[in-house]
């Protein structure tokens, strides 16, 4: 069973990386997907930030192939592979889902994030750069992306606080979730990826939405402090 799971992770990691080429590109929800169109929502990072997916795809494939080759029968890897399997299984068709429905895109990316976070928490103590690191950046980006999707979809359906209110709520939600996960599994790669997303939000909002940029900068300072405190400890 362990070898089958290891092989499945390898296949899914490759399929996950190839999937964007097999469907229409996704660069945010289109106006017709939400009752209140969200054009450049303030919670969405600048486009360049999404380039991190190239690193995620490549590193997950390297991790999966190494795991299949050298750690196929490793019980510690196996326990972490289980939730990662679920996350990747959802991730393969995710872009197609996102192009079809904002609500289902939000639900499924949250499930992907939960799977990735559980995999990170269960990550073996050994082979840090071949499991914890790639899964950590994957989980970190999904943590941020989940809140971007929650904020954009909620604003698009006119839920209470509008796009600016949901930008603040999304940043706060991502911070709370990230700090909670980091307390359980102090993987710097995870928090650094959330910081990358917050920098993208600052660049996107710049001085146009100064209050959002300042709030994101405060979040970065908090996360950096958390990493430094953990390193000293």
């Amino acid at each position: 069973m362990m070898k089958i799971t290891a092989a499945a992770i390898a296949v899914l990691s490759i399929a996950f990386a190839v999937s964007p080429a097999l469907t229409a590109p996704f660069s945010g929800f289109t106006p017709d997907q939400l009752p209140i169109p969200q054009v450049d929502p303030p919670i969405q990072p600048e486009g360049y930030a999404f380039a991190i997916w190239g690193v995620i795809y490549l590193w997950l494939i390297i991790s999966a192939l190494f795991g299949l080759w050298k750690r196929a029968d490793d019980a510690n890897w196996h326990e972490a592979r289980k939730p990662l399997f679920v996350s990747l299984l959802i991730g393969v068709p995710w872009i197609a889902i996102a192009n079809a429905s904002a609500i289902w895109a939000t639900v499924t990316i949250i499930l992907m994030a939960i799977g990735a976070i559980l995999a990170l928490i269960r990550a073996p103590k050994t082979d840090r750069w071949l499991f914890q690191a790639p899964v950590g950046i994957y989980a970190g980006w999904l943590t941020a992306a989940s809140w971007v999707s929650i904020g954009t979809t909620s604003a698009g359906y006119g839920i209470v606080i509008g796009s600016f209110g949901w930008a603040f709520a999304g940043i706060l939600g991502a911070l709370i979730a990230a700090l909670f996960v980091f307390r359980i599994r102090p993987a710097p790669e995870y928090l650094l990826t959330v910081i990358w997303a917050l920098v993208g939000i600052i660049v996107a909002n710049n001085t146009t939405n100064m209050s959002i940029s300042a709030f994101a900068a405060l979040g970065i300072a908090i996360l950096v402090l958390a990493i430094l405190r953990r390193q000293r400890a």
Side-chain angles (χ1 to χ4, degrees):
M1 188 62 181
M2 289 185 187
K3 290 183 179 179
I4 293 174
T5 305
I9 292 294
V11 171
L12 284 174
S13 295
I14 294 170
F16 189 37
V18 171
S19 63
L22 302 178
T23 186
F26 176 77
S27 57
F29 300 127
T30 58
D32 63 337
Q33 285 183 281
L34 295 164
I36 303 172
Q38 299 296 299
V39 180
D40 294 327
I43 195 174
Q44 184 166 300
E46 189 67 17
Y48 79 88
F50 293 86
I52 197 172
W53 274 115
V55 178
I56 293 170
Y57 290 142
L58 179 59
W59 214 342
L60 284 176
I61 291 172
I62 292 171
S63 172
L65 293 178
F66 172 82
L68 179 60
W69 179 39
K70 290 290 188 179
R71 300 289 185 268
D73 294 321
D74 190 304
N76 293 321
W77 275 64
H78 181 66
E79 287 305 307
R81 285 184 182 120
K82 294 176 184 176
L84 182 59
F85 174 87
V86 175
S87 182
L88 293 174
L89 188 65
I90 299 170
V92 172
W94 187 82
I95 293 178
I97 294 170
N99 282 325
S101 168
I103 292 177
W104 279 110
T106 302
V107 171
T108 49
I109 202 168
I110 291 171
L111 294 176
M112 286 172 66
I114 292 171
I117 288 168
L118 288 175
L120 174 62
I121 291 171
R122 297 180 185 180
K125 302 295 184 182
T126 55
D127 303 313
R128 173 183 174 182
W129 299 109
L130 287 165
F131 198 102
Q132 176 183 297
V135 172
I137 63 171
Y138 175 53
W141 185 256
L142 287 178
T143 299
S146 293
W147 282 99
V148 170
S149 189
I150 290 169
T152 304
T153 302
S154 298
Y157 277 89
I159 299 176
V160 186
I161 53 179
S163 62
F164 286 96
W166 278 107
F168 285 105
I171 292 170
L172 180 60
L175 285 175
I176 293 171
L179 289 170
F180 177 77
V181 173
F182 188 71
R183 184 174 182 180
I184 299 172
R185 183 62 184 257
E189 304 86 2
Y190 173 77
L191 281 197
L192 287 171
T193 308
V194 178
I195 289 171
W196 172 266
L198 291 173
V199 171
I201 291 175
I202 293 173
V203 173
N205 286 278
N206 206 339
T207 56
T208 305
N209 300 315
M210 193 64 189
S211 58
I212 294 173
S213 295
F215 192 54
L218 175 61
I220 290 171
I222 292 170
L223 296 183
V224 169
L225 180 61
I227 293 173
L228 293 176
R229 288 184 65 183
R230 184 68 191 188
Q231 293 298 320
R232 285 199 297 268

